[in-house]
Amino acid sequence: MDSAAADGPHSGPGPAANPLGHGPVLLLTGARLTDGRVVDVRISGARIQAVGTVGSLGPLPALPGAPTVTTGARIDLRGYLLLPAPAEAHAHYDTAFSAALPTPPPETSTDLTRRITEAALTSLGYGATAQRTHVRIGDVHGLHRLEAVLTARQALRGLADLQAVAMPRLLTGRAGADGRAQLREALKLGATAAGGCPELDPDPAGYVQLLLEAAREADCPVDLHTTATESAQLARMAGALAPLRPRVALGPCGALARGASTVLATSGVRVVCLPQNGGCTGLEGRPTGLRPGLVRELASARVPLAAGSGALRDQSNPVGRADPLESAYLLAASGELDPEAAYDAVANQARAVLGLPPVRVDAGFPAELLAVRGDSLAGALAGGHSRLVVHSGRVVSRTSAVREFADTVTLALPRQSGGTDG
């Protein structure tokens, strides 16, 4: 049972205070950090202003010639772990929730914008304050899917940062003329990055070269799909993209050839894996999951590794979820990463893919935070349902979960209101 008021972080002053509409100063009290410290965190504007021991932080000190600022909210985070907010590094919102729709799904602008917005808000509710969605352009799609993403991005301003990667299917030869024109137009319209899957083009090397030219012309990053099954082809792709590094991401690389991690390690590109099922709608064919040992191999080679969801109930994964903690849980539960590295893959490593600065719970860092019920990172990944999300210094989402049991027993029952998660 979810409730926004039954059992969540408590705010003040007074019972009527609303943390979703607080003033310029936000004080988070009694939060536990991953190193075990319990602290108060004061946020001013879009940045963390101070971190101190519980009870040590008062009103924001006045600037010279300005009055002390006291307007705002105080939120009690006892029983919560405070983390850098995760980011969604690889999504496909233009196909979200389409698994149950007729094939092909309706393509009206209103329907697309609604599904994209719902997908982004779903991810935000789980904690992702920055998100990147890949969107198909060209062919029968034209630019209307991208236009729907850009409309949703505008509607979400102040709640979450949404990036769009323009994905033409073909770029080379006469058949790719439309894709080339649509890609340049998409980047002019506001697409954040150039992408696609070179393996679907008759000339993968030519596809990469044309994409690189468009990206350099628009001064934007490149975010490509690849299965990475062939080491030689992967090496050629990485070499061709070298002029843009480190603004290059590849994913999901679910079938990465053994030993090819060394190619990626020396290329300077970032990899975004998809732990849910290893694939997404950006690739043809049925997802086959991540190759066993792949994540450990990439980590051992020190390849910058992020993780994304890839799918939110679309044809590639009808039960796909948009929860970054789910992706981190799968990486940790597989034994290939420890909980800290797994969470970093969906937090600061994912932010790096999006070209965003890192976040720490420390003074001066961006106020992009996630408070999740739990006393440790392992506990939060195992079952952190109650969450509070801070974006640009403002609480933008709150989810509270309550667990109830029938009958009465003599043993103490685990409750959300206690120090453990339910």
Side-chain angles (χ1 to χ4, degrees), residues 253-356:
C253 299
L256 182 72
R258 295 189 183 277
S261 56
T262 56
V263 172
L264 295 172
T266 58
S267 68
V269 304
R270 297 182 178 276
V271 171
V272 184
C273 68
L274 305 177
Q276 287 193 91
N277 68 353
C280 61
T281 60
L283 300 169
E284 291 189 344
R286 187 177 181 84
T288 57
L290 293 178
R291 171 174 65 77
L294 182 150
V295 172
R296 185 182 296 110
E297 181 180 317
L298 290 170
S300 297
R302 297 187 177 181
V303 176
L305 179 66
S309 65
L312 177 55
R313 292 168 54 192
D314 61 21
Q315 294 296 332
S316 69
N317 190 356
V319 295
R321 298 179 65 190
D323 186 356
L325 268 65
E326 173 85 1
S327 296
Y329 159 79
L330 291 170
L331 291 174
S334 69
E336 299 205 21
L337 293 179
D338 60 37
E340 290 73 22
Y343 188 76
D344 191 50
V346 301
N348 279 326
Q349 291 295 336
R351 286 181 61 85
V353 169
L354 274 59
L356 300 173

Side-chain angles (χ1 to χ4, degrees), residues 113-395:
T113 302
R114 179 192 60 79
R115 287 193 289 109
I116 291 164
T117 304
E118 183 181 354
L121 288 174
T122 300
S123 185
L124 175 64
Y126 285 124
T129 61
Q131 306 167 20
R132 173 175 284 185
T133 180
H134 296 250
V135 55
R136 185 71 71 186
I137 64 167
D139 302 324
V140 297
H141 306 292
L143 293 174
H144 76 278
R145 286 190 173 190
L146 174 65
E147 290 166 347
V149 171
L150 298 179
T151 298
R153 179 170 73 183
Q154 182 63 32
L156 292 162
R157 193 173 299 276
L159 294 174
D161 292 329
L162 180 60
Q163 298 184 358
V165 181
M167 294 178 56
R169 190 182 190 282
L170 300 175
L171 284 181
T172 66
R174 181 177 298 177
D178 175 68
R180 295 192 295 273
Q182 296 278 354
L183 175 60
R184 284 182 164 80
E185 185 61 25
L187 296 175
K188 290 177 182 177
L189 277 177
T192 314
C197 181
E199 295 159 16
L200 301 181
D201 192 284
D203 180 5
Y207 185 104
V208 172
Q209 193 58 47
L210 289 167
L211 196 81
L212 175 64
E213 291 173 6
R216 295 179 76 174
E217 180 182 310
D219 189 25
C220 73
V222 165
D223 194 336
L224 286 176
H225 285 71
T226 179
T227 57
T229 54
E230 297 183 14
S231 297
Q233 187 179 68
L234 181 64
R236 287 193 294 271
M237 182 189 303
L241 293 169
L244 273 186
R245 61 185 181 188
R247 304 171 71 194
V248 177
L250 299 178
C253 299
L256 182 72
R258 295 189 183 277
S261 56
T262 56
V263 172
L264 295 172
T266 58
S267 68
V269 304
R270 297 182 178 276
V271 171
V272 184
C273 68
L274 305 177
Q276 287 193 91
N277 68 353
C280 61
T281 60
L283 300 169
E284 291 189 344
R286 187 177 181 84
T288 57
L290 293 178
R291 171 174 65 77
L294 182 150
V295 172
R296 185 182 296 110
E297 181 180 317
L298 290 170
S300 297
R302 297 187 177 181
V303 176
L305 179 66
S309 65
L312 177 55
R313 292 168 54 192
D314 61 21
Q315 294 296 332
S316 69
N317 190 356
V319 295
R321 298 179 65 190
D323 186 356
L325 268 65
E326 173 85 1
S327 296
Y329 159 79
L330 291 170
L331 291 174
S334 69
E336 299 205 21
L337 293 179
D338 60 37
E340 290 73 22
Y343 188 76
D344 191 50
V346 301
N348 279 326
Q349 291 295 336
R351 286 181 61 85
V353 169
L354 274 59
L356 300 173
V359 173
R360 292 208 318 258
V361 186
D362 206 351
F365 282 86
E368 304 288 325
L369 302 170
L370 170 65
V372 58
R373 172 68 71 171
D375 59 359
S376 66
L377 186 55
L381 295 183
H385 305 303
S386 295
R387 305 183 192 189
L388 180 138
V389 185
V390 176
H391 170 56
S392 292
R394 174 171 170 253
V395 177

